Amino acid sequence: MRSMDVGVLGATGVVGQHFVSRLARHPWFEPVWLAASERSEGRAYADAAPWRLAAPMPAGAAGRTVEPCTPGRGPKVVFSALDASVAGEIEEAFARAGHVVVSNARNFRMDPLVPLLIPEVNADHLAILPEQRAQKGWTGAVVTNPNCSTVVFASALAPLRQFGITTVVVSTMQAVFGAGYPGVPSLDILGNVVPFIGGEEEKMERETLKILGSDGGRVNHAARVSAHTNRVPVIDGHTITVSVALAQQPDAAAVAEAMRQFKGRPQELNLPSAPQPAIVVMEEPNRPQPRLDVDRGDGMAVVVGRVRPCPVFTVKFVAMSHNVVRGAAGAAILNAELMVAEGMI
Amino acid sequence: MRSMDVGVLGATGVVGQHFVSRLARHPWFEPVWLAASERSEGRAYADAAPWRLAAPMPAGAAGRTVEPCTPGRGPKVVFSALDASVAGEIEEAFARAGHVVVSNARNFRMDPLVPLLIPEVNADHLAILPEQRAQKGWTGAVVTNPNCSTVVFASALAPLRQFGITTVVVSTMQAVFGAGYPGVPSLDILGNVVPFIGGEEEKMERETLKILGSDGGRVNHAARVSAHTNRVPVIDGHTITVSVALAQQPDAAAVAEAMRQFKGRPQELNLPSAPQPAIVVMEEPNRPQPRLDVDRGDGMAVVVGRVRPCPVFTVKFVAMSHNVVRGAAGAAILNAELMVAEGMI
Amino acid sequence: MRSMDVGVLGATGVVGQHFVSRLARHPWFEPVWLAASERSEGRAYADAAPWRLAAPMPAGAAGRTVEPCTPGRGPKVVFSALDASVAGEIEEAFARAGHVVVSNARNFRMDPLVPLLIPEVNADHLAILPEQRAQKGWTGAVVTNPNCSTVVFASALAPLRQFGITTVVVSTMQAVFGAGYPGVPSLDILGNVVPFIGGEEEKMERETLKILGSDGGRVNHAARVSAHTNRVPVIDGHTITVSVALAQQPDAAAVAEAMRQFKGRPQELNLPSAPQPAIVVMEEPNRPQPRLDVDRGDGMAVVVGRVRPCPVFTVKFVAMSHNVVRGAAGAAILNAELMVAEGMI
Amino acid sequence: MRSMDVGVLGATGVVGQHFVSRLARHPWFEPVWLAASERSEGRAYADAAPWRLAAPMPAGAAGRTVEPCTPGRGPKVVFSALDASVAGEIEEAFARAGHVVVSNARNFRMDPLVPLLIPEVNADHLAILPEQRAQKGWTGAVVTNPNCSTVVFASALAPLRQFGITTVVVSTMQAVFGAGYPGVPSLDILGNVVPFIGGEEEKMERETLKILGSDGGRVNHAARVSAHTNRVPVIDGHTITVSVALAQQPDAAAVAEAMRQFKGRPQELNLPSAPQPAIVVMEEPNRPQPRLDVDRGDGMAVVVGRVRPCPVFTVKFVAMSHNVVRGAAGAAILNAELMVAEGMI
């Protein structure tokens, strides 16, 4: 039934724990190999991983011995929850050794030969992989998912490409989860707003244009994008407000309908982690809200609301999705599902 | 010393309490007359007002008998903290009876004959008052201050008028205080974002253009403005992100310097409630923050940070101010100070 | 399959919504009759109930017409989520008319003829029902569940009865949900502690002694109990700290083991809503925590941790459970399950 | 005017910043010497200290060069905001070299020769100092203040010594500030309660008995004390609930009056940081609350409320004070003021 062995690099951190938790109930993938830094190597996973999720640690993971991050030993497919400080070198070594690395790290995201993938949005970017192998001399591959705030943004924009996206201003209200544990100190964020997240605005602006771009991600989308990124005291769920100019000037109803109808390869292939629908468009005037809507589609849906005319551009709206599921572990797992379904793994 | 008796309409509510608290330590105004609804009439203020501020109830107010909101009895100058559901009728009656009503209510804000005043920004709009009296047949007057989210927005834009403001996109992260007590239920906002505040976006868009406009507020500023308003779990301090297009295309340093140099009549006249400087421009990359910066200038400063180039428009920045002080009670008191200093009261 | 029709009184409020949501997926009960005040009568449930739960409104409920709270028309078994201001009269009318009223309201809790039921703790108190019918002249019945903070407290104490409970000091840290919607204003509780909840300490002290008592609840347990009740900024999950004196002076390990082994009729009968185990005893030094542990046992478990010696009494510990599930809607549904399984309905 | 030069050890951390901020406006002490670890040595304070307070960095401190923690160079009186990992060794070296070390660190608190001082409560414990010097061979001295949760607890109990304190159960709801910066991760505490703080219960139990004890702190008070310590999402202000047995069985009114009348040497000597009164006893049923009351007495008051009969012991009540002011920097400064006023410095 569970036909494919997979591994997790960086399995003991909080994002790694999300991988372990979601994979434990995955219909295709069996997480048989959990790797982490030398500090954890050789210990039982239950001892090495300071578990921080509400869902209990999967029984199958608890007794597993943590492996070193050494290429060649583990399964062909490995998910990477590694910290960016080490991900570049390790992921490259794994790809060189023949592994397919499905990574959540930022290191290779902007590499023109590496797909920065949201399966609903740019499944066709996987077509770059043969060239990746050829030019990099890898027998494996690296595929990445975007930054957690980019996912909700690029996904909500994707259905609007048909109308000609020319200009976008986005402002975020991001949950504290995002930089792993311990992350944001409570002294900084309790009852507060921090109107700055290092490097986040640049990531949102650049990653989005690559994802919406063409030729396997080598040609950026031509839209102009300006991002304001802010941290708010919310646990899970990044909320964004978006004002967008569209060349064809559709009305708000047409934009909402385009979002509602939007589907990508995951929905067509009915992949296990694919939310149905891809985008939930809410009618209530005060939604989406992270506390009420973050778990839609098992945490994989992008939830949109308040699609309405914009006095400056064409339309404006609110979008929200789960920053650790749709924005990290769930995103990578969906990437792997797509590659399996497309026969690329 | 305290040369002028003043009154407060709606003195028992939370905004009214802020008036009472600030006026108790005011160098010019003596709050001798506290009025509220029939329910409170005749009771001691200490009994009638369920005190909700951290600062203790002023001794001078506690024993004062609450008066009915009847025009003609109280002092010439009355501050209005009335709820919008009753403010229109009562304020008009007071103005007709010769009182100068310095109001925080929204009812008369968009009336073309009523100044919607931020003393630093449009002190000249007071020039409409003779026509207000003539056309309305009032012997008194009504002067209003803007909505709490408009104040920080219009104030931060004011120094940029010299560069030619053409287009603005603003997204807010607003504190829960704003609609009086009880206001936002904790079930709705704890650990959450609510991306909707009824009527708030329209107010920000319209009020700002009137304030930045000319001819006493009868000619709107020509900029196009689009607002996204959101509630976040913060007690005091509205934070906004702003992207603005400026005809003259100044660089970010020039914009920051214009904000830093900005001063209005309150600063020139050295009014008691005038913050010095009017706008605090911070250099730290992660400021302003409501928890750290909301009390700058005794709660009256507008604090700006992150002035930087905008990939879509000319510049973008963050601004924050105290929603109940600069955004309500303090704003109205500064309006009255200006009128006194200009010899209009 | 779903063999028993049930109704909900007060179905449109937040607690009523929890009933509707949980009953929609119940294996025995079919919620075919939703009643509320005159304001809602005749409207579709989807229009009458301002839905406030994260789980979507059940499809089966949305189109149902809201009925008036008139006895005699609906099913024999009705759950009551009525507000205490009206519950007494309505519940009595329903019991008189032959309905079994399974109530979450406080009105009849301390009535010596009405079971105040935690099925794991005092299932035998149902034996009072014949006398209830006889003395009250009801053909139906009223059964109640305790206040949300009492449930976690009395449940955690129940396994200790065997050691002779003599004295207990309890201090609570309660979630904001508890008094329905809108409940606690955010201005009062954001970043704050409110060390007072009206009537709550008395309820905890009295209800607990009735529940742990004998003779169908007519003879109170003899322990002395002192409660401190506090509100903290948490959405779901009441946490309590308990110091308890036990006549037999067991050590902490024996107390923890007694809790771990504790089971009641719901566990023996394997009722649909019965958590297995009834009490989860955690070993981690910093648990339970509401955010991580509130959904244990589908929200029905009582979670205990830090069982350790008390320098003043015998042992001390922390307990936590879901205030709206275990503490309200789920509690009442378990009460009804018990009555069905015991052949009393 | 400012007659005494003082220094701060560990001046760049958050507690150190509180010392620097409060001393900058102190009428007696002039903070002329700021010392920190090697990493900061030689840098301007403004560059070395990542400022985290709402109050701006004092101008006098910003340009000062950070010194190494080397004894002999700085002023005679040094405040210590050092981390416990290094405080023991450094503070001893300073005391040996003739400095009077007024420390907030925990290292020497339980040393029988070191006063663990709350000036209102046990000013007489300073009498141990000659013996400290003799036995330790120090020419200077070390004086400590208690843990932040002990201060509010021991201070509230102090007026009750006259009634014969025999048994106390205390449960805390502590602010996140307490272990310096970064302290508690926001992922752990947002919308949550953590019912465990490492070592805190032991500190509260032991420190309190030493403080309330006699013979310079060498003979513990005989009361039995049991503490439950919990973290809640509050920035400033530790709230505690207390049930206490008193041998003389006074009623609640007598206890409240004893608290209200309570004064110690700081109040008698009218020391600059002494709150007047020492204990604020509130009558409102729902006070004290950290958000409303934490700044009473410039952050130095202990605020008590809800003094009422306890069904288990004699009385129960709520107490609250500022964990960083009364619980750390302000406490140490008051200790130094007392020593100056008593002629011991």
Side-chain angles (χ1 to χ4, degrees):
Chain A
M1 196 70 175
R2 300 236 268 169
S3 51
M4 188 172 292
D5 286 353
V6 298
V8 179
L9 296 166
T12 55
V14 185
V15 174
Q17 292 176 21
H18 275 275
F19 274 106
V20 168
S21 185
R22 287 187 85 81
L23 288 170
R25 53 185 175 91
H26 198 276
W28 297 355
F29 301 135
E30 173 101 37
V32 298
W33 191 80
L34 306 179
S37 68
E38 286 181 9
R39 206 177 48 234
S40 301
E41 185 187 333
R43 300 168 66 192
Y45 184 73
D47 299 330
W51 195 253
R52 303 199 187 278
L53 312 191
M57 180 182 290
R64 215 174 274 284
T65 302
V66 177
E67 306 282 339
C69 289
T70 312
R73 296 210 214 147
K76 181 175 175 68
V77 176
V78 292
F79 294 97
S80 168
L82 292 168
D83 187 78
S85 61
V86 297
E89 198 172 341
I90 295 176
E91 291 179 6
E92 175 155 14
F94 272 75
R96 191 173 304 281
H99 295 275
V100 175
V101 181
V102 186
S103 174
N104 181 57
R106 70 163 182 265
N107 307 59
F108 285 105
R109 280 183 196 151
M110 294 308 295
D111 186 317
L113 293 172
V114 174
L116 179 55
L117 199 64
I118 301 177
E120 284 87 348
V121 177
N122 62 343
D124 60 299
H125 286 201
L126 285 173
I128 195 80
L129 284 182
E131 197 164 331
Q132 180 191 97
R133 290 195 177 95
Q135 290 203 23
K136 300 262 189 194
W138 295 347
T139 52
V142 171
V143 171
T144 63
N145 57 265
N147 183 47
C148 49
S149 55
T150 303
V151 174
V152 57
F153 182 45
S155 297
L157 288 179
L160 312 187
R161 282 180 293 190
Q162 61 186 287
F163 302 118
I165 303 167
T166 61
T167 317
V168 199
V169 175
V170 58
S171 188
T172 72
M173 293 166 283
Q174 299 183 224
V176 294
F177 200 128
Y181 187 88
V184 184
S186 55
L187 268 179
D188 287 349
I189 197 67
L190 266 176
N192 202 16
V193 168
V194 180
F196 176 72
I197 304 172
E200 193 86 353
E201 293 171 353
E202 294 76 6
K203 280 187 221 167
M204 281 190 83
E205 291 168 5
R206 291 185 312 174
E207 292 183 6
T208 298
L209 295 180
K210 176 174 176 180
I211 292 165
L212 297 179
S214 53
D215 192 17
R218 278 174 298 193
V219 178
N220 277 357
H221 192 284
R224 283 182 307 150
V225 178
S226 179
H228 303 254
T229 59
N230 306 281
R231 191 78 74 187
V232 294
V234 164
I235 287 286
D236 286 318
H238 286 354
T239 307
I240 66 175
T241 65
V242 181
S243 276
V244 56
L246 299 169
Q248 295 179 19
Q249 302 282 350
D251 64 13
V255 167
E257 187 59 19
M259 290 172 160
R260 213 175 271 116
Q261 296 303 330
F262 179 68
K263 58 176 63 175
R265 291 294 287 157
Q267 284 73 35
E268 291 164 9
L269 296 166
N270 206 21
L271 298 179
S273 299
Q276 301 279 7
I279 297 180
V280 176
V281 180
M282 301 188 76
E283 299 294 336
E284 294 86 341
N286 60 354
R287 301 286 277 271
Q289 296 177 17
R291 197 165 70 69
L292 296 178
D293 302 313
V294 75
D295 289 326
R296 300 250 165 179
D298 196 25
M300 289 297 288
V302 169
V303 191
V304 168
R306 305 197 69 214
V307 185
R308 60 203 192 281
C310 178
V312 162
F313 294 140
T314 311
V315 291
K316 52 184 173 179
F317 58 87
V318 177
M320 193 272 308
S321 76
H322 196 303
N323 46 310
V324 193
V325 178
R326 182 80 236 195
I333 293 171
L334 186 62
N335 283 354
E337 292 172 5
L338 176 67
M339 293 177 76
V340 169
E342 299 283 23
M344 308 183 76
I345 297 185
Chain B
M1 198 69 175
R2 300 233 269 169
S3 49
M4 186 171 296
D5 287 353
V6 298
V8 179
L9 296 167
T12 56
V14 185
V15 174
Q17 293 176 20
H18 275 276
F19 273 106
V20 168
S21 185
R22 288 187 84 82
L23 289 170
R25 52 187 176 88
H26 197 277
W28 297 354
F29 301 134
E30 174 101 37
V32 298
W33 191 80
L34 306 179
S37 67
E38 286 180 11
R39 205 176 48 233
S40 301
E41 185 186 334
R43 301 167 64 192
Y45 184 73
D47 299 330
W51 194 253
R52 303 197 187 279
L53 312 191
M57 180 183 288
R64 215 174 275 285
T65 302
V66 177
E67 306 282 338
C69 289
T70 311
R73 296 211 215 145
K76 181 175 175 67
V77 176
V78 292
F79 293 97
S80 167
L82 291 167
D83 188 78
S85 61
V86 298
E89 199 173 340
I90 295 177
E91 291 178 7
E92 176 155 14
F94 272 76
R96 190 173 305 280
H99 295 275
V100 175
V101 182
V102 187
S103 173
N104 181 57
R106 69 161 181 266
N107 306 59
F108 284 106
R109 281 183 196 152
M110 295 308 296
D111 187 316
L113 293 170
V114 174
L116 178 56
L117 199 63
I118 302 177
E120 284 88 345
V121 177
N122 63 342
D124 59 301
H125 286 201
L126 285 173
I128 196 81
L129 284 182
E131 197 164 331
Q132 179 191 97
R133 291 195 177 94
Q135 292 204 21
K136 301 260 188 197
W138 296 346
T139 53
V142 172
V143 171
T144 63
N145 57 265
N147 182 46
C148 49
S149 54
T150 304
V151 174
V152 56
F153 182 46
S155 297
L157 288 179
L160 312 188
R161 281 180 292 190
Q162 61 186 286
F163 302 119
I165 302 168
T166 60
T167 317
V168 199
V169 176
V170 58
S171 189
T172 72
M173 293 167 283
Q174 298 184 225
V176 294
F177 201 128
Y181 187 88
V184 184
S186 55
L187 268 178
D188 286 349
I189 197 65
L190 266 176
N192 202 17
V193 167
V194 179
F196 176 72
I197 304 172
E200 193 87 354
E201 293 172 352
E202 294 75 7
K203 282 187 219 165
M204 281 190 82
E205 292 168 5
R206 292 186 312 176
E207 293 183 6
T208 299
L209 295 180
K210 175 173 177 181
I211 292 163
L212 298 179
S214 52
D215 192 17
R218 278 175 297 194
V219 177
N220 276 356
H221 192 283
R224 283 182 307 151
V225 178
S226 179
H228 303 253
T229 59
N230 307 281
R231 192 77 75 187
V232 294
V234 164
I235 287 287
D236 286 319
H238 286 353
T239 307
I240 65 175
T241 65
V242 181
S243 276
V244 56
L246 299 167
Q248 296 179 20
Q249 302 282 349
D251 65 12
V255 167
E257 188 59 19
M259 289 172 160
R260 214 176 271 116
Q261 296 303 330
F262 179 70
K263 60 175 64 175
R265 291 295 287 157
Q267 285 73 35
E268 290 164 10
L269 296 166
N270 205 21
L271 300 179
S273 299
Q276 301 280 7
I279 298 180
V280 176
V281 180
M282 301 189 75
E283 299 293 336
E284 294 86 341
N286 60 353
R287 301 287 275 272
Q289 295 177 18
R291 196 164 68 71
L292 296 177
D293 301 314
V294 75
D295 289 327
R296 301 250 166 178
D298 196 25
M300 288 296 288
V302 168
V303 191
V304 168
R306 304 196 69 212
V307 185
R308 61 202 192 284
C310 178
V312 161
F313 294 140
T314 311
V315 291
K316 51 183 174 180
F317 58 86
V318 177
M320 194 272 308
S321 77
H322 197 302
N323 45 310
V324 192
V325 178
R326 182 79 237 195
I333 293 171
L334 186 62
N335 283 354
E337 293 172 4
L338 176 67
M339 292 177 77
V340 169
E342 300 282 24
M344 308 182 78
I345 299 186
Chain C
M1 198 71 175
R2 301 233 268 170
S3 49
M4 187 172 292
D5 287 354
V6 298
V8 179
L9 296 166
T12 55
V14 185
V15 174
Q17 293 176 19
H18 275 275
F19 273 106
V20 168
S21 184
R22 286 187 85 81
L23 288 170
R25 52 185 175 91
H26 197 276
W28 299 354
F29 301 135
E30 174 100 37
V32 298
W33 191 79
L34 306 179
S37 67
E38 286 180 12
R39 205 178 47 235
S40 301
E41 188 188 330
R43 301 168 64 193
Y45 184 73
D47 299 331
W51 195 253
R52 302 197 187 279
L53 311 192
M57 181 183 290
R64 216 173 274 284
T65 302
V66 177
E67 305 282 337
C69 289
T70 312
R73 295 212 216 145
K76 181 175 176 65
V77 177
V78 292
F79 294 97
S80 166
L82 292 167
D83 189 75
S85 61
V86 298
E89 199 173 339
I90 295 177
E91 291 179 6
E92 177 156 11
F94 272 76
R96 192 174 303 281
H99 295 276
V100 175
V101 181
V102 187
S103 173
N104 180 58
R106 69 163 182 266
N107 306 58
F108 284 106
R109 280 184 197 151
M110 295 308 295
D111 187 317
L113 293 171
V114 174
L116 179 54
L117 199 63
I118 303 177
E120 284 87 347
V121 177
N122 63 343
D124 60 300
H125 285 200
L126 285 173
I128 196 80
L129 284 183
E131 198 164 330
Q132 180 190 98
R133 290 195 178 96
Q135 292 204 22
K136 302 258 187 198
W138 295 346
T139 52
V142 171
V143 171
T144 62
N145 58 264
N147 182 47
C148 50
S149 55
T150 303
V151 174
V152 55
F153 182 46
S155 297
L157 288 179
L160 312 187
R161 283 181 292 190
Q162 61 185 287
F163 302 119
I165 303 168
T166 60
T167 317
V168 200
V169 175
V170 59
S171 190
T172 71
M173 293 167 283
Q174 299 183 224
V176 293
F177 200 128
Y181 188 89
V184 184
S186 55
L187 268 179
D188 286 349
I189 198 64
L190 267 176
N192 202 15
V193 168
V194 180
F196 176 72
I197 304 172
E200 192 87 353
E201 294 172 353
E202 295 75 8
K203 281 187 220 165
M204 280 191 84
E205 292 169 5
R206 292 186 313 176
E207 293 183 5
T208 298
L209 296 180
K210 175 175 177 181
I211 292 165
L212 297 179
S214 52
D215 192 16
R218 279 175 297 192
V219 178
N220 276 356
H221 192 284
R224 283 184 306 151
V225 178
S226 180
H228 303 253
T229 58
N230 307 281
R231 192 77 73 188
V232 294
V234 165
I235 287 286
D236 286 319
H238 285 355
T239 306
I240 65 175
T241 65
V242 181
S243 276
V244 56
L246 299 169
Q248 295 180 21
Q249 302 283 347
D251 64 13
V255 168
E257 187 59 19
M259 289 170 160
R260 214 175 269 116
Q261 296 303 330
F262 179 69
K263 60 174 64 175
R265 291 295 287 157
Q267 285 72 36
E268 290 165 10
L269 296 167
N270 206 21
L271 299 178
S273 298
Q276 301 280 7
I279 298 180
V280 176
V281 180
M282 301 190 76
E283 300 293 336
E284 294 85 341
N286 60 352
R287 302 287 277 271
Q289 295 177 17
R291 197 165 66 72
L292 295 178
D293 301 314
V294 76
D295 289 326
R296 300 249 167 179
D298 196 25
M300 287 296 287
V302 169
V303 192
V304 168
R306 303 197 69 213
V307 185
R308 60 204 194 282
C310 177
V312 161
F313 294 141
T314 311
V315 292
K316 52 184 173 180
F317 59 87
V318 177
M320 192 273 307
S321 76
H322 197 302
N323 46 310
V324 192
V325 179
R326 183 79 236 196
I333 293 171
L334 186 62
N335 283 355
E337 293 172 4
L338 176 67
M339 292 176 76
V340 169
E342 300 282 22
M344 308 183 77
I345 298 184
Chain D
M1 196 68 175
R2 300 234 270 170
S3 51
M4 187 173 292
D5 287 353
V6 298
V8 179
L9 296 167
T12 55
V14 185
V15 174
Q17 293 175 20
H18 275 275
F19 273 106
V20 168
S21 184
R22 286 187 85 80
L23 288 169
R25 52 187 176 91
H26 197 276
W28 297 356
F29 301 135
E30 173 100 37
V32 299
W33 190 80
L34 306 179
S37 68
E38 286 181 10
R39 206 178 44 234
S40 301
E41 187 187 333
R43 301 166 63 191
Y45 184 72
D47 299 330
W51 195 253
R52 302 198 187 278
L53 311 192
M57 181 182 289
R64 214 173 276 285
T65 302
V66 177
E67 304 283 337
C69 289
T70 310
R73 295 210 215 148
K76 181 175 175 66
V77 176
V78 291
F79 293 96
S80 167
L82 291 167
D83 188 78
S85 61
V86 299
E89 199 173 339
I90 295 176
E91 291 179 7
E92 176 156 13
F94 272 76
R96 192 174 302 281
H99 296 275
V100 175
V101 182
V102 187
S103 173
N104 180 57
R106 70 163 181 266
N107 307 60
F108 284 106
R109 280 181 197 154
M110 294 309 295
D111 187 317
L113 294 171
V114 173
L116 178 56
L117 200 62
I118 302 176
E120 283 87 348
V121 177
N122 62 345
D124 59 301
H125 285 200
L126 285 172
I128 196 80
L129 284 181
E131 198 164 330
Q132 180 191 94
R133 290 194 177 95
Q135 290 203 25
K136 302 259 189 198
W138 295 347
T139 52
V142 171
V143 171
T144 63
N145 58 265
N147 182 47
C148 49
S149 55
T150 303
V151 174
V152 56
F153 182 45
S155 297
L157 287 179
L160 312 187
R161 283 180 293 190
Q162 61 185 288
F163 302 118
I165 303 167
T166 61
T167 317
V168 200
V169 176
V170 59
S171 189
T172 72
M173 293 167 283
Q174 298 183 225
V176 294
F177 200 127
Y181 188 88
V184 184
S186 56
L187 268 179
D188 286 349
I189 198 64
L190 266 176
N192 202 15
V193 168
V194 180
F196 176 73
I197 304 172
E200 193 86 354
E201 292 173 354
E202 295 77 6
K203 280 187 219 167
M204 281 190 83
E205 291 169 4
R206 292 184 313 175
E207 292 183 6
T208 299
L209 295 180
K210 176 175 177 179
I211 292 164
L212 297 179
S214 54
D215 192 16
R218 278 174 299 192
V219 178
N220 276 356
H221 192 284
R224 282 182 308 151
V225 178
S226 180
H228 303 253
T229 58
N230 307 282
R231 192 78 74 186
V232 294
V234 165
I235 287 286
D236 285 321
H238 285 354
T239 306
I240 66 175
T241 66
V242 182
S243 275
V244 57
L246 299 168
Q248 296 178 20
Q249 303 283 350
D251 64 13
V255 167
E257 187 59 19
M259 289 171 160
R260 214 175 270 115
Q261 296 303 330
F262 180 69
K263 60 175 63 174
R265 291 295 288 157
Q267 285 72 35
E268 291 164 9
L269 297 165
N270 206 19
L271 299 179
S273 300
Q276 300 281 6
I279 297 180
V280 176
V281 180
M282 302 190 74
E283 299 295 335
E284 294 86 341
N286 60 353
R287 301 288 276 271
Q289 295 177 17
R291 196 165 68 72
L292 296 177
D293 302 314
V294 75
D295 289 326
R296 300 249 165 178
D298 196 24
M300 288 296 287
V302 169
V303 191
V304 168
R306 303 197 71 213
V307 186
R308 61 204 193 282
C310 178
V312 161
F313 295 140
T314 311
V315 292
K316 51 183 174 180
F317 59 86
V318 177
M320 193 274 306
S321 77
H322 196 303
N323 46 310
V324 193
V325 179
R326 182 79 237 196
I333 293 170
L334 186 63
N335 283 355
E337 292 172 4
L338 177 66
M339 294 178 76
V340 168
E342 299 283 24
M344 307 183 77
I345 297 184

